[in-house]
Amino acid sequence: MNKILCPTDFSGTSDKAVEYAVHIAQHAGAHLTLLHVVHLPIVDTSETALVASELLGEQMRNATDKLKATVLHLEETYGANRDGGFTCDFLVKEALLTDVAKQLSKQENYDLIVMGTTGCDSTMEELLIGSNTEAVMEEVKCPVLSVPRDAAPAKVERIVYASDYSEEDIAAMREVVQLGSCFGAKIDVVHIVKKPGEQDGEEAAAFRLEMQGLFPDVPLTFQELVNRHRDEGLMEFYNQAGGDVLAMVRREKGFLKSLFTQSLAERMTYQAKVPLLILHGKK
C-alpha cells in the first residue's frame, strides 16, 4: 500500500478519519494526501458570479490554511515527512468530492480512500456526510474505508471479512490481506446463511482450501454462521470477536449469487457503527 487519500471537511467526523488514515500510513510506510473540496452552486448573473468568485477564493484560502496547520500537526505529533515512516501533503480542489475522488484514484493510483461517515441520525450535516461517503464508494474503483465519528481509537489488529464463497472474494481478499499485512492482523472470513442446513460443506471446504493456498502465511480463520438477518449476524460475530474493521464487497446490481446486495452495503454504510472497508466487485 503506497498512497492513501483522506477527504476532510474539518469536522470531528473527518478528524476521526484522519486519525485512521495516519495510523494506516504509519504502518504501511505510505504517502497520505489530505483533500478538501470547495463547491459553489452555478450562478447566472455577473453580479452574483463576482460574489461567488470572492467567496470561493476566501474558502480556498481558509481551507489551505487549515490543511497546512493539519500537516504541521502531523509532522510534529507523528513525524510525518520526517522520521515517522510516512509522508503527507494536501490538496484543495474546486469540484464535487465524488468527481475529485474518482479522478485522483484513477489517475494518481491511490490504493485506499479513508473518509468519515456519521450515519442517518438527525442533522443535515450527518445526512450530507453519509451521502458523500456512499457517493464516493459508488464512483471509485479502489477500496474505501468509512470511519464513523464514534469509532474506537485507530487499530487494525482484527479484520472481519464477509464472504459468500464467490470468485469476487479472491480479488477482494488480496486487498484485505494487503491492509492486514501492514499490522500482522488476524482475518476472520465469515459466511452467513439464513437457515440451518443451507451451509454447503463441499463449497466451503473448497473455498477454504483455495484461500489457504493463496495466503499460506496469513492468520486466517473461517466461520459459517446462521442468522436470518445477515447484517445482524455479521455484527454479532464482529462484536464477539473484537473486530477492528469490517470488510465486504460492494457488488454490482444484477449479481445474483451474492451475500450482500448493494442496498445492504449502503445500509451498513449509513448505519455507521464500525469502520467499514468496502471493496468492489468485478465490473
Side-chain angles (χ1 to χ4, degrees), residues 10 34 61-75 90 92:
F10 310 115
L34 303 177
R61 288 189 294 272
N62 289 341
T64 298
D65 290 342
K66 289 180 180 180
L67 287 169
K68 284 181 178 178
T70 301
V71 171
L72 179 61
H73 169 71
L74 298 183
E75 289 175 342
F90 68 86
V92 180

Side-chain angles (χ1 to χ4, degrees), residues 74-139:
L74 298 183
E75 289 175 342
E76 294 176 345
T77 306
Y78 300 101
N81 301 323
R82 298 176 182 176
D83 57 357
F86 73 107
T87 55
C88 181
D89 64 5
F90 68 86
L91 291 172
V92 180
K93 295 284 188 179
E94 178 196 356
L96 293 174
L97 175 58
T98 50
D99 294 338
V100 177
K102 183 178 181 179
Q103 179 187 20
L104 289 175
S105 63
K106 183 177 181 179
Q107 297 180 359
E108 302 296 330
N109 299 316
Y110 281 91
D111 303 294
L112 177 69
I113 295 176
V114 182
M115 59 189 302
T117 187
T118 55
C120 293
D121 292 330
S122 57
T123 69
M124 181 59 67
E125 177 189 4
E126 290 169 340
L127 289 169
L128 289 173
I129 292 174
S131 61
N132 266 334
T133 306
E134 173 58 29
V136 169
M137 290 177 178
E138 175 77 22
E139 293 296 329

Side-chain angles (χ1 to χ4, degrees), residues 9-274:
D9 61 1
F10 310 115
S11 65
T13 300
S14 292
D15 289 344
K16 178 62 71 170
V18 171
E19 176 190 331
Y20 270 73
V22 167
H23 186 65
I24 295 170
Q26 284 179 304
H27 285 77
H31 177 73
L32 171 62
T33 298
L34 303 177
L35 168 68
H36 181 77
V37 297
V38 177
H39 174 65
L40 293 177
I42 297 174
V43 295
D44 57 5
T45 70
S46 58
E47 183 177 350
T48 53
L50 178 61
V51 173
S53 177
E54 293 175 351
L55 179 59
L56 176 64
E58 181 180 355
Q59 290 184 356
M60 297 281 280
R61 288 189 294 272
N62 289 341
T64 298
D65 290 342
K66 289 180 180 180
L67 287 169
K68 284 181 178 178
T70 301
V71 171
L72 179 61
H73 169 71
L74 298 183
E75 289 175 342
E76 294 176 345
T77 306
Y78 300 101
N81 301 323
R82 298 176 182 176
D83 57 357
F86 73 107
T87 55
C88 181
D89 64 5
F90 68 86
L91 291 172
V92 180
K93 295 284 188 179
E94 178 196 356
L96 293 174
L97 175 58
T98 50
D99 294 338
V100 177
K102 183 178 181 179
Q103 179 187 20
L104 289 175
S105 63
K106 183 177 181 179
Q107 297 180 359
E108 302 296 330
N109 299 316
Y110 281 91
D111 303 294
L112 177 69
I113 295 176
V114 182
M115 59 189 302
T117 187
T118 55
C120 293
D121 292 330
S122 57
T123 69
M124 181 59 67
E125 177 189 4
E126 290 169 340
L127 289 169
L128 289 173
I129 292 174
S131 61
N132 266 334
T133 306
E134 173 58 29
V136 169
M137 290 177 178
E138 175 77 22
E139 293 296 329
V140 303
K141 310 300 184 192
C142 68
V144 178
L145 177 64
S146 65
V147 181
R149 177 182 51 195
D150 298 326
K155 187 175 66 167
V156 190
E157 296 179 3
R158 191 157 196 166
I159 302 174
V160 176
Y161 174 73
S163 169
D164 70 350
Y165 304 149
S166 74
E167 291 184 3
E168 291 185 320
D169 284 323
I170 297 175
M173 276 294 295
R174 292 187 190 279
E175 294 177 319
V176 172
V177 167
Q178 182 185 38
L179 174 62
S181 65
C182 299
F183 302 87
K186 296 178 180 179
I187 301 174
D188 297 294
V189 181
V190 180
H191 180 77
I192 308 287
V193 296
K194 289 188 175 182
K195 299 177 182 178
E198 286 186 347
Q199 297 95 323
D200 190 333
E202 293 184 2
E203 184 181 18
F207 177 81
R208 287 195 293 268
L209 189 62
E210 183 174 15
M211 290 296 103
Q212 290 167 342
L214 288 171
F215 311 110
D217 300 319
V218 176
L220 294 176
T221 64
F222 299 88
Q223 307 286 338
E224 277 199 346
L225 306 174
V226 178
N227 195 300
R228 289 182 58 194
H229 304 286
R230 287 165 171 164
D231 51 346
E232 292 180 5
L234 259 183
M235 288 307 305
E236 182 178 339
F237 177 85
Y238 179 94
N239 291 326
Q240 290 177 351
D244 301 309
V245 174
L246 176 61
M248 66 172 61
V249 173
R250 178 191 174 95
R251 305 190 189 277
E252 288 295 291
K253 290 180 179 178
F255 189 83
L256 298 179
K257 182 183 177 300
S258 62
L259 172 60
F260 295 103
T261 63
Q262 204 166 32
S263 60
L264 181 54
E266 291 169 1
R267 187 162 69 251
M268 295 196 75
T269 302
Y270 277 98
Q271 286 175 352
K273 294 179 180 179
V274 301

